[in-house]
Structures are given as C-alpha cells and as structure tokens.
Amino acid sequence: MPRQARYLCVWAGSLLAILVLVAGVNVVVNPYDLFPWRRIPGVNVLKPAIKNHAALTKAYQVERARPVTVVLGTSRVYLGIDSASPAWPESYRPVYNYGLPGTNMSRSLLRELREAWSTGNLRHAVAFLDVPAFLEVDPPVHGEEDERRLMFLDDGTPNDGWRAQRLDDGLLSIFTLAALTDSVRTVLAQRGGGSVLDLRPDGTSTDADFAAAARAEGMNAVFAQKDEYDLSRIPEFQRTLNGWQGLMPNLGVVREMIQFCREHNVTLTMILGSSHADGMEIYRRAGLWPRVEQLKVDISALVAEANSDTITAWDFLEYAPYSTERLPPPGDLVTQLRWFWEPVHFKRALGDVMLQRVFLGTPVDFGAPLTAATVEARNQAVREQQRAFIGWRLACEANRQAKCSPQADPSVAAAR
C-alpha cells in the first residue's frame, strides 16, 4: 500500500476511534438526560450541564415521566415547586415540573401543556402565572428550535418535523466536543453533592445557583440586583398599559389554555404565585397596582366564563407573613430568608406552603380562591395589608431602634 494511502487509512482510523470514544463517553454520561437509561452513582447522578439546556432536557423527560399532573410556568416553577412534595394528592401523582427558565411565559404555558398531554396520562395541570407576563404584549415567535422538537407547534397543529429535530438533538448530544466537555464536567461534579446544579427526572431543579449567590454576595445584594432589573422594565409596562382597554395583555393565552383543558378533560388550577413585598412595592410605587388588581379580576372572569368545577384560580400575591420577611442589612453574608431567594423567586419551602393551601386547605391565613364573587373583596383585603405594611415600614425607618422583625409587621395580623 502506498505511503499516502497508509497515511489516509491511519488518519481515518484515528478519527473514527476518536468519534467512537467521544460518542461512547457522551452516551454513557448522558449529560443532558436525553436518553432513558438510569443514572450511575459516581458518574452522572447529578447533571449540572442541564442548566443551559433545560428546554431540550424537559422535552425528553416529560415523555418518559408520562405525568398525571404537570406544573407549568417559568423559572419560578423550575426552582420553587417540588414534584415530590407531600402536598400533592395521591390521585395527582406522578407529577412533572415543566417549568422553564428564561422563557416567555404566556407562550410556553400552552407549549408545555400540549406536550405533557401528548404523553397520554395527563389529567391535571397546575399553572403558575407571573404578573409581569401580563403587563406587556409578547412578540409573536414561531419556528424556533425549542418548538421544532415538540409534538405540537405553537399554533396547536401537529409538528411533522419533530423526528428530524430529535435526530439532530441526538447527534449533537453524542458526537460534539461541546457535549464531551459537558460529560467531563458532569463526572467531575459528582463530588459536589447538594452544591451542584441538577435536574431530577421529575423535572425538579436544585437551587444551587441562588444558594451560591446568597453566600457570596448576601441576600440584600441579590434582592437589589433583581430590583434593578424589575425597575428597568417599568417604563415599558407603563407605555403598554397607558389607555389599555379590555383584558390584560396575553390573557388570551390563558383562555386558550382553559379551552384546551376543557376539551381534553384535564383539570386546570391557575395560581398567582407569591412575591416578596420588596418586589410588589415596585409596582405600587410605579402606579401599576390597579393593573395588578385588574389582572386578578380578569382571571376570575375567565374562570367564571369557563363555568366548570375543573377550572379554578388562586391568589397568593399578598402582603402576608411569608412575603414580608425583613431583608438582612447590606454586607450580611450569613443571614438567609426562609421563603425567598429574591423578590420573585420563592424557595421550595414556600412552594410547598402554596400547594398545601390549594390541595389540603391549610394554612387558612395565606392565599385565597379567585372567583367573580370574591375578587373585589380579595383586592380590598390585600389593599388593607398593603397599607398596614407601608405604615409599619415607615415607622421602622423613622425609629431605627424599633423592633422591625417580620413578626412585628402589622400586615401579618391583617393577613390573619
């Protein structure tokens, strides 16, 4: 065999061996949890690479989970709701957490709902609604990669191209150096335990990122960073809502979700999740609190329009003991809040409390059903909590020696 031919054969053989090695490592480690095999202790039980590929991973996980109940929402659900919480009724199990970080909530709700329903067992949907999603109009989006791998397109029609996208997903997860890098990082991360990002097969995420930020910067700084971002969005909200008439923006998606659930015999529980008073005050000071109240009225109207016991809504957006925890001072890297990571993202402990209230009825002093008959009284009650909170906070600022613990907050008494 000529020397050049031998060289080409050796080169081709080496390349093939490298590809086989890369593919073998990626298939075994399975860094994005695409493939259905079990996780191997010491190798890939924790999968930190999923952090940047959550939409990819969850499209495959939900099919394997074949849930009876799906939890829908954004990063608040992704971080704050536990699919294995004891608050879930037995008839609701298994539960899959389909919350996705960094997504457009009003669009992703229907997308997640349809995909979960396509697995064949879905009987219940629990959707956490985020206030900012209804303060501006979402731009139309169609044809993105996250949509192409799903069984249904965003317009509700079957997706004929999902197999081709799934093939691309598999090839990119097996034969690329990026996947190999994530496989190596996955193996090296196994010694990190609870400090490592992970996504369980039931869709529940660890909160390692927020915990690390709180340790490094302190809770006060984490809150301040989120406040800065939320404040930057206020002018756009104000422009959108100036003179706005009719249902709040994007609530048409909620109506479509209600219609889908009724047509497919799926119960739907919608939840306005709790936010810290620090975040709610941004909306009040910007003059947007009447729009928050309108959102509650509009949601209750959609529930009444459905006229079905299987469609319900709950409101946890209030100045309650859970949402009025006093922040530690700047520079305090030790003190942690019990219920929140920052103004919007509640901890899993508070997620459990909300689920207990909805499904088990306690605690009775937190949250309330949203119905057309009760929404005005509900808005008035939260207004009273708000006024009590403002008075308490002003008194604390005026007298630095006052005991301003959450327990001393008069809004706690108002909440009860």
Side-chain angles (χ1 to χ4, degrees), residues 166-190:
R166 295 294 181 91
L167 178 60
D168 286 348
D169 291 343
L171 293 175
L172 291 173
S173 299
I174 292 174
F175 291 107
T176 63
L177 289 178
L180 179 62
T181 300
D182 284 335
S183 290
V184 172
R185 289 174 177 167
T186 297
V187 174
L188 294 177
Q190 299 309 299

Side-chain angles (χ1 to χ4, degrees), residues 67-71 88 91-96 122-126:
V68 169
T69 300
V70 66
V71 192
W88 292 109
S91 61
Y92 275 59
R93 302 173 188 273
V95 178
Y96 184 77
L122 193 69
R123 295 294 177 268
H124 309 284
V126 178

Side-chain angles (χ1 to χ4, degrees), residues 180-247:
L180 179 62
T181 300
D182 284 335
S183 290
V184 172
R185 289 174 177 167
T186 297
V187 174
L188 294 177
Q190 299 309 299
R191 295 182 180 181
S195 64
V196 176
L197 286 168
D198 184 34
L199 189 71
R200 295 193 326 231
D202 64 8
T204 303
S205 172
T206 62
D207 47 22
D209 260 2
F210 275 100
R215 288 193 301 269
E217 304 175 40
M219 297 296 291
N220 192 290
V222 174
F223 266 69
Q225 291 167 14
K226 180 61 176 174
D227 283 344
E228 183 178 358
Y229 171 74
D230 288 343
L231 283 166
S232 72
R233 302 182 69 187
I234 292 298
E236 181 58 33
F237 295 158
Q238 291 172 329
R239 283 191 293 270
T240 297
L241 297 173
N242 183 26
W244 184 273
Q245 301 293 323
L247 289 177

Side-chain angles (χ1 to χ4, degrees), residues 137 156 168 303 305 319 332 415:
V137 180
D168 286 348
V303 172
E305 180 183 286
Y319 290 72
D332 184 340

Side-chain angles (χ1 to χ4, degrees), residues 373-384:
T374 62
V375 66
E376 292 297 345
R378 172 62 175 170
N379 279 337
Q380 178 60 34
V382 175
R383 252 177 261 139
E384 292 173 2

Side-chain angles (χ1 to χ4, degrees), residues 5-29:
R6 287 200 304 272
Y7 173 80
L8 290 175
C9 287
V10 170
W11 182 85
S14 299
L15 179 61
L16 179 62
I18 291 173
L19 285 175
V20 170
L21 178 61
V22 169
V25 171
N26 289 337
V27 167
V28 171
V29 176

